[in-house]
Amino acid sequence: MSDFTGLKITGRIATPSDPDWDEARLAWNLIADQRPEAVAFAESADDVAEVVRFAAENDLRVAGQGTGHGAAPLGPLEGTILIKTERMRGIEIDPSSRTARIEAGVLSAELGAAAGEHRLSALPGSSPDVGTVGYTLGGGMSWLARAHGFACNHVRGIELVTADGEARTVDSENDPDLFWALRGGGGGYAIVTALQLELLPVADLYAGALVFPAAVGGEAVRIYRDWAASLPDEVTSIVRFVTPPPIPDVPEPIRGVPLLTIGAACIGDQSNGEATIAPLRASLGETIMDTFAQMPAAGLSHIHMDPENPVPGIGGGVTIAALPDEAVDAFTAATGPDSGSPLLLSELRHLGGAVGRPAENGGALSHLDADFVMYSVGMPMTSELGEAIHGHLRHLEEAMSPWAADGGYFNFTERPCDVDAILPAEVCSRLAEIKRAYDPEDRIVANHAVAIGPA
Ligand SMILES: Cc1cc2nc3c(=O)[nH]c(=O)nc-3n(C[C@H](O)[C@H](O)[C@H](O)COP(=O)(O)OP(=O)(O)OC[C@H]3O[C@@H](n4cnc5c(N)ncnc54)[C@H](O)[C@@H]3O)c2cc1C
């Protein structure tokens, strides 16, 4: 066991001999059994630099973690100091330049609320307590994605500590390669201490979800698909088969009930939004719930009512090139009302628009060549259920394989794999070059590693 007595930071170093060690090493995704050498609860960029320097001097590795939503593929973390940034929660908004500077532990909902005070919006995904840094480094697919592309391409600068313990700010002028790699290539190149982000002039919009019994089935998915294909980029939407767990956090009428939901965010005013959603309301029959309303942009990450407390999850994503009727049938057969699926949910997120077009001066994830991304997750409350979930994810992936696009989406890739399995070959070879230049000893551990070969 390493000796951490020489490591002094303002925050806290937790080690296996501490009575609360099991709590200190927890990730949001309770499926991850993290066993690092120590957990550093950093409170500043200086703390992070101190930890990275200590690791370099003691032949240890370091991993950055905001919340642990993306911890499933990270591995056991032997020989690694886990740097948790949850105490670094500073947010500064500059309304005149429409920018935010956020420290590495800021959650999506916190940034949304702070931006909302100035009638501005970030690019929030579906979960309020996802960490903004991890989400953004892996791309960041938001409710505004089709209009504004991936969140990573709205980053103006990144404050970080490189593997040698040096604190730097990288942007399009300074260390542009490193700046490029971190925007969509994940966190394997440096430990991020803060992000400088562009905000959007979106104060409110028409958004919510229509909730139907799952029995509406494949016909509803087909109607959704045709509707989604007809929409301008200002509308981003998601269809999902979901069975919310029977827990008090879930509203009573949908607790434990198999459902089909169609969620959408329509940039614009209420009358425009109502006109956009009207065809679905007209053709899909009676809803169990209809939560659409003109809402502040900060409300977006609550549309899905995702859990805000740590839970165990086994999930996976597949990019879908096109969704003909046969693909809808395969999706419904594997995850719909008569499928016997042990999954909590399986969803199709509509891509295209700005996420489908190369981003100007974009990062490692510029865009995705696919019509949809499918994401599915189950909650393994028992080990038998865990096995069933793994098996069903494999079955679903196989069923949808005729329509799968190449590669994947970083943030939804929850099985352990290198970036080579996710991003295009030319992107991966540039990422490997950058990794060799900035972290030649492979000191920085990420949930999806960049293979640099033997030193
Ligand atoms: C319920 C739920 C909903 C989700 N919804 C969406 C969505 O709508 N859109 C979307 O794009 N994704 C979504 N995701 C996926 C999510 O974006 C990823 O899991 C992401 O990795 C979470 O970031 P985090 O910081 O919370 O997680 P963490 O596990 O803390 O971080 C993930 C990885 O990011 C890197 N990282 C984090 N912090 C640092 C740092 N300071 N320095 C260097 N590297 C760092 C590390 O490599 C780390 O392993 C969702 C996930 C869940 C569980």
Side-chain angles (χ1 to χ4, degrees), residues 28 64-71 74 85 104 124-127 129-135 137-142 182 186-188 190-193 306-307 349 375 409 411-412 414 445-448:
W28 184 92
Q65 186 161 84
T67 68
H69 274 77
L74 194 52
T85 58
S126 61
S127 168
D129 66 343
V130 151
T132 305
V133 168
Y135 166 83
L137 300 186
M141 186 180 292
S142 78
L182 286 160
I191 302 295
V192 172
T193 56
D306 275 350
R349 295 190 176 207
Y375 176 72
Y409 173 51
N411 278 349
F412 290 163
E414 296 195 1
V445 181
N447 55 2
H448 297 293

Side-chain angles (χ1 to χ4, degrees), residues 10 31 36 66 74-75 102 132 139 144 151 184 187-188 205 210 282 316 345 366 417 432 438 440 447 452:
T10 319
I31 203 80
L74 194 52
I102 59 138
T132 305
L144 306 172
L205 71 177
L210 301 177
L345 68 89
S366 149
C417 65
Y438 286 92
N447 55 2
I452 51 174

Side-chain angles (χ1 to χ4, degrees), residues 163-440:
D164 53 5
E166 193 188 323
R168 321 177 184 209
T169 299
V170 305
D171 54 28
S172 54
E173 305 281 313
N174 303 289
D175 297 298
D177 275 354
L178 191 50
F179 182 56
W180 175 85
L182 286 160
R183 288 180 297 141
Y189 320 88
I191 302 295
V192 172
T193 56
L195 292 179
Q196 298 159 11
L197 303 168
E198 286 164 19
L199 299 174
L200 302 168
V202 177
D204 53 44
L205 71 177
Y206 191 73
L210 301 177
V211 179
F212 302 95
V216 291
E219 182 53 21
V221 179
R222 260 190 292 279
I223 289 171
Y224 161 77
R225 174 205 57 194
D226 294 343
W227 169 81
S230 72
L231 297 172
D233 296 354
E234 283 68 30
V235 184
T236 298
S237 62
I238 304 173
V239 65
R240 42 166 47 184
F241 283 113
V242 55
T243 305
I247 55 172
D249 284 6
V250 173
E252 210 277 317
I254 58 170
R255 227 176 267 168
V257 179
L259 305 168
L260 177 133
T261 73
I262 298 175
C266 315
I267 298 174
D269 64 22
Q270 178 156 352
S271 60
N272 239 316
E274 281 173 349
T276 302
I277 303 303
L280 291 178
R281 288 198 175 110
S283 48
L284 283 173
E286 205 179 322
T287 56
I288 298 176
M289 281 171 73
D290 179 343
T291 67
F292 274 96
Q294 192 72 13
M295 62 166 73
L300 289 173
S301 57
H302 297 284
I303 291 175
H304 271 171
M305 299 179 234
D306 275 350
E308 294 188 38
N309 296 311
V311 289
I314 299 173
V318 175
T319 44
I320 304 290
L323 198 69
D325 286 351
E326 298 78 11
V328 172
D329 291 344
F331 177 69
T332 307
T335 68
D338 304 317
S339 63
S341 164
L343 302 176
L344 173 71
L345 68 89
S346 197
E347 68 187 22
L348 292 164
R349 295 190 176 207
H350 188 210
L351 303 177
V355 269
R357 294 189 287 268
E360 209 180 316
N361 303 318
L365 180 61
S366 149
H367 66 289
L368 268 184
D369 271 328
D371 274 4
F372 288 88
V373 62
M374 179 178 77
Y375 176 72
S376 312
V377 67
M379 272 165 85
M381 303 318 283
T382 61
S383 58
E384 291 76 26
L385 189 51
E387 284 307 306
I389 291 166
H390 278 300
H392 206 82
L393 287 173
R394 279 194 299 273
H395 164 66
L396 177 58
E397 198 168 319
E398 215 172 285
M400 296 302 285
S401 61
W403 304 282
D406 287 341
Y409 173 51
F410 196 111
N411 278 349
F412 290 163
T413 306
E414 296 195 1
R415 67 193 152 84
C417 65
D418 287 357
V419 293
D420 305 58
I422 306 171
L423 295 167
E426 66 280 8
V427 170
C428 291
S429 62
R430 187 170 169 198
L431 289 173
E433 248 174 63
I434 294 164
K435 176 81 172 168
R436 262 183 237 113
Y438 286 92
D439 184 16

